[in-house]
Amino acid sequence: MQNFTPLMFALVFSASQFVNAQCGITGQSNFITSQEALNTLVDCEVFQGDLNITGSDITNLDALSSLVSIEGSFSIYETSIASIDPLEMLMNANEVS
C-alpha cells in the first residue's frame, strides 16, 4: 500500500488543479461588472458559458492572462480597459464582440 501513496497524491493533486482551472457556469450568461469580480478569475483557463465584461471601473484584463478557452460568447463593453494584451493565450471563443 505504501507504494501507491505517492501515486494517489499525484492523482488527487492533478484533479484539483484541473477543477481549479475552470470557471463560469455552462449554458449561462455570466456578467463581470467590477475589477474586483474580474480579479477572482485569476487562475481560470477554461470559462464555461458566456463571459460578459462591463463596468467603467474595470481597467485591466490582467486576471485573464491564463484564459485559453471560452465555451460561449465573449463580450467586453463600457469599460476603461486600454489593452487586451493579457488575452494573448485565448485560443477559442464561440463569438467575440
Side-chain angles (χ1 to χ4, degrees), residues 48-59:
Q48 299 174 332
D50 298 336
L51 176 56
N52 300 281
I53 299 173
T54 184
S56 60
D57 75 318
I58 299 175
T59 58

Side-chain angles (χ1 to χ4, degrees), residues 24-64:
I25 301 171
T26 302
Q28 291 191 7
S29 290
N30 302 274
F31 288 85
I32 304 297
T33 58
S34 69
Q35 186 68 51
E36 182 179 3
L38 183 66
N39 291 344
T40 66
L41 302 177
V42 70
D43 292 322
C44 183
E45 294 177 359
V46 177
F47 193 93
Q48 299 174 332
D50 298 336
L51 176 56
N52 300 281
I53 299 173
T54 184
S56 60
D57 75 318
I58 299 175
T59 58
N60 68 73
L61 298 173
D62 295 344
L64 300 180

